[in-house]
Structures are given as C-alpha cells and as structure tokens.
Amino acid sequence: QQPVQSPQAVILREGEDAVINCSSSKALYSVHWYRQKHGEAPIFLMILLKGGEQKGHDKISASFNEKKQQSSLYLTASQLSYSGTYFCGTENWLRTGTASKLTFGTGTRLQVTL
Amino acid sequence: DARVTQTPRHKVTEMGQEVTMRCQPILGHNTVFWYRQTMMQGLELLAYFRNRAPLDDSGMPKDRFSAEMPDATLATLKIQPSEPRDSAVYFCASGLGGTAHTEAFFGQGTRLTVV
C-alpha cells in the first residue's frame, strides 16, 4: 500500500522551515525517509519505528505518530543543499504479525532558493 | 570508500533484446534490493535478497524479469525480452539485516531505454 505524501512540491527561501507529511492507510511498522537529488541516487536520512518516536539529524528531524498512521519530516532553517525530492517509505503490519515490504510514496519536491 | 556499484550506468537497447544489469553490494552487507524508478510510478521495489536467498520478488513481472545473486558480491537483474515500458532507472541498494532496521545504500542506477 503506497503511502501518500504532501505537499507534492514546495518552494522555500533559504532559512525558512518546511514540513513534509507521509500518511498510510494501514498500521505502520516503520517509516523510512530518503532524499534524492536530480540524477542521483536516493540518500538515507532516517528510519523511525513504531512507538511514536522522534529523530533528528542536524536541522532535519522526523516524528512518527502510530495512532494517526503518519510521519512528518521537519526541515528547519533550510539550506540550498536541502533541495531535492524527499521520499518516505513505509512498512505496514500484516495479519501474520510481520511487516510488509517497503513501499515508497511518490515524493515531495523541495526547492530552496536564495 | 564503500559504495554500491552498478553497471552499466546507461543502456539503450531495442525491443525484444535481453538486458542484464549488475550490482556489486557493499562488502559485508547481507541484504540486496532492486528498485525501479519512473516518473509515473516512482520508486518500486522489484525484489530483495537476504544472505543471497530471494525473500520477495512480488514486484517483478515474472514472465520477463529475473533476479539472482550468484555470489555475495554480485546481484543481477535480467529482462528478456525487453519492452519500451521497461524504460526506467533501475537502482540496486544494499544494507544489513531486515528492511525494518536497514539503512539502504543505493547505487547510482542503470538508466535503461528500450526503443
């Protein structure tokens, strides 16, 4: 089940903040966040597991709301280097008690300008 | 500098031809993924292996795609016969452990064009 990302695209000025959301229609086991620059490979940002945890990496952090079945990625004081497409990937709980395979959303295109 | 290596980087082929893409995972990684990326579908997981055993290939069209790991240092993805709709960027990624706790390291991809 493909997660839904919003917004699809966002343009920021350097120094501004942004939030990217990732929602699933099924119970989440984990959420993975990646960033991909044009013509390059996706780069890992972070993984969040069930339990409502929050993680941070420099000025990029994420939360995982198990109850709402969603995750949000927070970019604070954006830099030009943050430009790219952000993907969330989700693993859902299956009836067997195991996790489904990782499925990525269609991405959020972020552009940071001067 | 550990990285996932994919060859070729670009491939243009005629419809009906066989295409083989190769991937060398990071040494020591036991999980290998094959992804396909298109504008329309985004990133799709085609197959993945753990300790060289295929765990899930439900994302692959079985009639024309096949994925193998002849040894721990080589993963292959074959398309036979290729079709124009197979045109995409194919990424290989590797990691340690299962998908739930695995940071996947992606290769630079193979850009396939089938004409």
Side-chain angles (χ1 to χ4, degrees):
Chain A
Q1 193 78 21
Q2 187 175 43
V4 176
Q5 288 186 236
S6 63
Q8 288 186 316
V10 59
I11 299 176
L12 298 172
R13 287 191 185 276
E14 198 175 22
E16 291 181 336
D17 302 339
V19 180
I20 299 171
N21 298 304
C22 175
S23 298
S24 175
S25 59
K26 297 190 175 182
L28 283 170
Y29 180 73
S30 70
V31 180
H32 305 220
W33 285 100
Y34 285 80
R35 177 174 61 210
Q36 184 179 29
K37 294 186 181 287
H38 184 69
E40 298 182 7
I43 299 295
F44 171 82
L45 294 176
M46 63 190 79
I47 292 175
L48 299 101
L49 302 178
K50 67 179 187 69
E53 63 174 340
Q54 185 153 353
K55 278 193 174 181
H57 180 350
D58 195 10
K59 294 194 174 97
I60 299 176
S61 62
S63 63
F64 181 177
N65 190 317
E66 193 178 348
K67 199 172 181 181
K68 290 186 178 179
Q69 296 176 179
Q70 69 181 37
S71 174
S72 295
L73 186 72
Y74 306 94
L75 297 103
T76 307
S78 59
Q79 305 167 18
L80 294 175
S81 62
Y82 287 3
S83 294
T85 301
Y86 289 78
F87 292 96
C88 74
T90 57
E91 290 178 295
N92 299 107
W93 280 110
L94 299 176
R95 285 184 201 163
T96 53
T98 56
S100 67
K101 65 182 182 183
L102 188 64
T103 305
F104 283 96
T106 53
T108 294
R109 189 173 299 177
L110 179 80
Q111 184 180 351
V112 181
T113 63
L114 288 170
Chain B
D1 182 25
R3 66 177 73 180
V4 175
T5 304
Q6 288 187 247
T7 56
R9 291 292 310 278
H10 302 273
K11 177 74 177 177
V12 180
T13 191
E14 291 185 346
M15 183 172 64
Q17 295 298 304
E18 176 178 302
V19 175
T20 299
M21 290 168 271
R22 293 178 174 79
C23 168
Q24 182 176 2
I26 293 174
L27 189 65
H29 282 187
N30 65 342
T31 307
V32 174
F33 309 87
W34 281 106
Y35 286 94
R36 175 172 62 186
Q37 186 173 38
T38 61
M39 288 294 292
M40 295 299 294
Q41 300 295 327
L43 266 171
E44 302 173 272
L45 179 64
L46 298 175
Y48 76 96
F49 295 77
R50 186 173 306 141
N51 298 323
R52 295 177 55 201
L55 287 192
D56 189 333
D57 61 0
S58 58
M60 281 199 321
K62 300 286 192 308
D63 56 339
R64 298 184 300 108
F65 284 60
S66 62
E68 295 180 347
M69 277 202 76
D71 62 59
T73 63
L74 177 64
T76 62
L77 180 66
K78 287 186 183 178
I79 308 174
Q80 167 64 12
S82 58
E83 298 180 2
R85 59 179 167 152
D86 300 330
S87 297
V89 180
Y90 290 81
F91 286 105
C92 173
S94 71
L96 278 171
T99 58
H101 308 281
T102 299
E103 170 186 353
F105 294 80
F106 281 74
Q108 291 301 301
T110 294
R111 183 175 294 276
L112 175 67
T113 304
V114 183
V115 298

